[in-house]
Amino acid sequence: MKANYHTHTFRCYHAMGNEYAYIRRAIAAGIEVLGFSDHAPMLFPPEHDAYYRMKPSLLPDYVETILSLREQYRGVLKMPLGFEVEYYPDLFASFLEMIRPYPIDYLILGQHFLGNEMGGAHVMKETKEERILVDYVDQVIEGMNTGVFSCLAHPDVVFYTGDTIAFRREMRRLCRAAKECGLPLEYNLLGLSEGRNYPSPDFWPIAAEEGNAVILGWDAHRPTAFLQHEVEEKALTYLHSLGITPIETLPFRKIFP
Ligand SMILES: [Zn+2]
Ligand SMILES: [Zn+2]
């Protein structure tokens, strides 16, 4: 693949390696567009320990580092700057205000918690509760409808192991809403390489039926992620078998019109 828009950095406390390492491996893998989209800072009350995202104090360094690398690698690698961010209704407006002064190119929606992470359910925890599935889809749709996102990361991240009919019904609702918003769905290669519950074999046939735009994303948490050609091949073979040809380039939605 020529473009990957889902790349983390060490600032989120659970990804490894500095930007140079990601850039070197991306170039070695033949990538021409390397989008950085680390877990976004959010303005939580001080008592909350935001353990898997960058602190707001690291935001200027993140932006300056990527912008300076972009200059350094001009002509070799395009390097758009973004964030992976949840749609947390209570915290979203203050998040947007916080990033407004910076030249952020794109946002990808990656919904890891319901409500928000201060007490809300973690959607990657296995559950048979239909309520969690429905609430996940409701919150993702509300997020997509803000119009600021360019892509929906791992749409099938919710680890629901209850009734399959309910899963298919809710995921069809999600796929239709994404299509209405014109938002591509990310086929997540990290989940594939690690054998996680996503990409879900029950999800992608629905995306194929609904005609959603699909894009591959490495969700890179370590620089070597880009070099797993067999994972990319496996993903493409599977998606092609469903009649899905992933798009290569992500059109960016304006965050501040
Ligand atoms: Zn994610
Ligand atoms: Zn990610």
Side-chain angles (χ1 to χ4, degrees):
M1 62 207 252
K2 297 269 178 250
N4 173 63
Y5 298 90
H6 196 162
T7 314
H8 292 281
T9 80
F10 63 90
R11 292 173 192 78
C12 67
Y13 304 102
H14 65 281
M16 334 266 286
N18 67 24
E19 292 83 2
Y20 279 107
Y22 285 92
I23 289 167
R24 277 199 303 271
R25 300 297 169 89
I27 292 170
I31 287 175
E32 294 167 7
V33 181
L34 179 65
F36 281 94
S37 52
D38 210 355
H39 292 287
M42 288 232 165
L43 294 168
F44 291 105
E47 64 272 19
H48 173 66
D49 175 25
Y51 62 94
Y52 76 96
R53 61 178 69 256
M54 76 174 67
K55 305 271 185 265
S57 58
L58 294 180
L59 173 56
D61 174 66
Y62 175 61
V63 174
E64 282 160 26
T65 303
I66 305 302
L67 293 185
S68 115
L69 287 167
R70 183 189 289 174
E71 279 310 307
Q72 209 174 317
Y73 284 87
R74 186 173 289 281
V76 179
L77 194 62
K78 288 199 174 75
M79 229 178 281
L81 176 59
F83 287 109
E84 175 182 14
V85 62
E86 293 80 357
Y87 174 67
Y88 291 160
D90 294 347
L91 295 158
F92 203 64
S94 61
F95 159 71
L96 289 178
E97 279 317 301
M98 175 171 46
I99 65 163
R100 188 189 280 274
Y102 300 96
I104 305 300
D105 299 306
Y106 68 104
L107 298 177
I108 59 181
L109 174 58
Q111 194 68 36
H112 308 98
F113 285 87
L114 298 183
N116 66 52
E117 68 206 50
M118 295 180 298
H122 196 322
V123 301
M124 292 162 79
K125 197 167 152 246
E126 186 172 0
T127 182
K128 290 192 186 326
E129 261 185 72
E130 197 170 315
R131 192 70 251 161
I132 296 213
L133 171 70
V134 173
D135 287 354
Y136 168 78
V137 172
D138 281 346
Q139 196 161 339
V140 165
I141 291 176
E142 207 178 311
M144 292 193 296
N145 284 337
T146 60
V148 300
F149 293 104
S150 298
C151 176
L152 173 59
H154 44 57
D156 46 352
V157 69
V158 62
F159 197 177
Y160 173 75
T161 52
D163 181 30
T164 312
I165 293 172
F167 183 81
R168 291 189 179 140
R169 180 194 69 225
E170 291 305 310
M171 288 305 161
R172 193 172 296 280
R173 193 157 73 84
L174 181 153
C175 286
R176 285 186 179 166
K179 194 172 175 194
E180 256 170 50
C181 298
L183 220 61
L185 305 176
E186 178 209 58
Y187 189 86
N188 190 278
L189 298 177
L190 172 65
L192 182 66
S193 71
E194 294 195 344
R196 296 185 180 180
N197 61 296
Y198 60 96
S200 159
D202 288 323
F203 178 89
W204 294 94
I206 297 169
E209 277 170 28
E210 295 298 331
N212 287 96
V214 174
I215 188 161
L216 300 182
W218 278 115
D219 197 355
H221 283 75
R222 54 193 65 228
T224 49
F226 310 126
L227 297 176
Q228 305 172 87
H229 286 300
E230 70 293 348
V231 174
E232 189 180 331
E233 280 309 307
K234 189 176 166 189
L236 285 172
T237 304
Y238 172 66
L239 291 171
H240 288 156
S241 79
L242 295 175
I244 295 173
T245 304
I247 58 171
E248 285 270 5
T249 311
L250 191 63
F252 293 153
R253 203 67 76 80
K254 262 197 160 66
I255 305 169
F256 302 105

